Amino acid sequence: MSTATGFRGYQRIGENITQGKPDMHEAIDCYREVKPGRYGALGKPLEGSNLWPDNPPNFSSLMEEYISLLTDLARNIMRGIALALGGSANEFEGDKAGDPFWVMRLIGYPGASDAKCPEMPENDIGCGAHTDYGLLTLVNQDDDIPALQVRNLSGEWIWAVPIPGTFVCNIGDMLKIWSNGLYEPTLHRVINNSPKYRVSVAFFYEPNFYAAIEPLEICKQKTGGVEKFGRAVYGEHLVRKVTTNFVM
Ligand SMILES: O=C(O)CCC(=O)C(=O)O
Ligand SMILES: [Fe+2]
């Protein structure tokens, strides 16, 4: 993992940090390809294409198919959310998320016993508490290891117990702004107490890189007519987060 690869590729256990603490996971991080100059100076840190391993040989084609299917799935969920908010199904198309950015992380969390080995930093947390940055996250997790926790409205951490054949869907920061708080971003963290190595694949469906995010008029009307959040540019939020996520 380095800035030379636009933050794509393999990261070691503890290389990712959340709230100043190393996370006990390793991962392959992938981002939508960014050709040089595509997003100007702001997008420069994310320029590059994905570093797929050579083995297994069908890895990249499988991943590309997976990304395409999850992009369609997330787009359809966003159409449902748009209708639920009282807008048209196409509310998030065009300059909002018609040309969506995406991120995907293939993550491995060592089992609890492995995490105690001396060369690893002392931390039980697979991934510290955070919200995701964009619109929706679809998490595909191992069926037999509860490890993902979400914080409910009473402030308690509850397990997002794996349900075979389903995704956990997290709400991201940008959907909070667009919906003027009607959709709250899901605060979540990962703790792998099991002795087994846990694998998850998180797919992040995001707005257009340069989308300007501000509360939608329809959402403002439903929430007292006052904008609860200021304007943000998705790409600025993403680059700020990505460039502070790692120990380099
Ligand atoms: O592994 C998981 O279940 C969630 C990972 C996650 O929250 C993230 O990568 O943002
Ligand atoms: Fe997350």
Side-chain angles (χ1 to χ4, degrees):
M1 170 67 62
S2 84
T3 48
T5 59
F7 295 91
R8 291 168 181 76
Y10 175 72
Q11 55 180 268
R12 294 182 312 278
I13 293 173
E15 215 175 327
N16 199 93
I17 49 173
T18 305
Q19 294 172 0
K21 292 216 175 92
D23 294 316
M24 292 299 96
H25 69 246
E26 57 187 339
I28 298 175
D29 282 8
C30 314
Y31 293 81
R32 186 178 155 164
E33 181 178 18
V34 179
K35 294 210 159 73
R38 170 81 171 83
Y39 295 130
L42 177 61
K44 194 128 201 78
L46 289 172
E47 286 178 358
S49 37
N50 289 311
L51 304 171
W52 303 117
D54 294 332
N55 263 311
N58 61 348
F59 191 79
S60 61
S61 58
L62 275 178
M63 286 298 116
E64 273 154 14
E65 190 186 353
Y66 188 75
I67 290 159
S68 158
L69 290 169
L70 265 70
T71 302
D72 288 349
L73 173 59
R75 191 186 291 267
N76 280 328
I77 298 172
M78 284 310 301
R79 291 171 67 81
I81 289 178
L83 291 172
L85 289 171
S88 88
N90 292 331
E91 195 65 47
F92 294 101
E93 293 299 322
D95 58 6
K96 293 194 179 71
D99 181 26
F101 198 72
W102 58 259
V103 183
M104 183 176 68
R105 308 190 62 223
L106 310 161
I107 316 170
Y109 299 85
S113 46
D114 304 341
K116 297 279 173 282
C117 72
E119 66 268 21
M120 282 184 202
E122 196 58 30
N123 191 356
D124 293 337
I125 305 283
C127 187
H130 65 281
T131 54
D132 295 337
Y133 319 148
L135 283 177
L136 292 179
T137 309
L138 298 173
V139 184
N140 187 344
Q141 52 175 340
D142 265 346
D143 283 347
D144 54 343
I145 308 175
L148 176 60
Q149 293 189 323
V150 296
R151 206 170 64 173
N152 68 14
L153 289 176
S154 318
E156 301 150 341
W157 287 102
I158 54 171
W159 298 100
V161 177
I163 302 171
T166 68
F167 297 100
V168 173
C169 182
N170 285 327
I171 304 297
D173 299 335
M174 297 299 109
L175 188 48
K176 170 189 76 177
I177 302 179
W178 262 330
S179 69
N180 208 25
L182 285 169
Y183 281 84
E184 286 233 21
T186 323
L187 190 66
H188 56 282
R189 67 183 183 189
V190 180
I191 300 176
N192 183 14
N193 285 327
S194 131
K196 289 211 276 197
Y197 187 94
R198 171 185 185 258
V199 174
S200 73
V201 178
F203 177 78
F204 304 85
Y205 181 80
E206 312 285 89
N208 294 4
F209 192 81
Y210 269 112
I213 324 283
E214 53 196 334
L216 296 172
E217 201 47 50
I218 44 168
C219 298
K220 231 168 74 182
Q221 281 164 17
K222 290 189 172 182
T223 48
V226 181
E227 286 194 5
K228 294 190 183 160
F229 310 101
R231 189 175 181 277
V233 172
Y234 164 69
E236 285 174 5
H237 184 61
L238 175 71
V239 169
R240 193 176 328 116
K241 292 282 191 176
V242 171
T243 52
T244 54
N245 261 357
F246 299 100
V247 210
M248 292 280 188

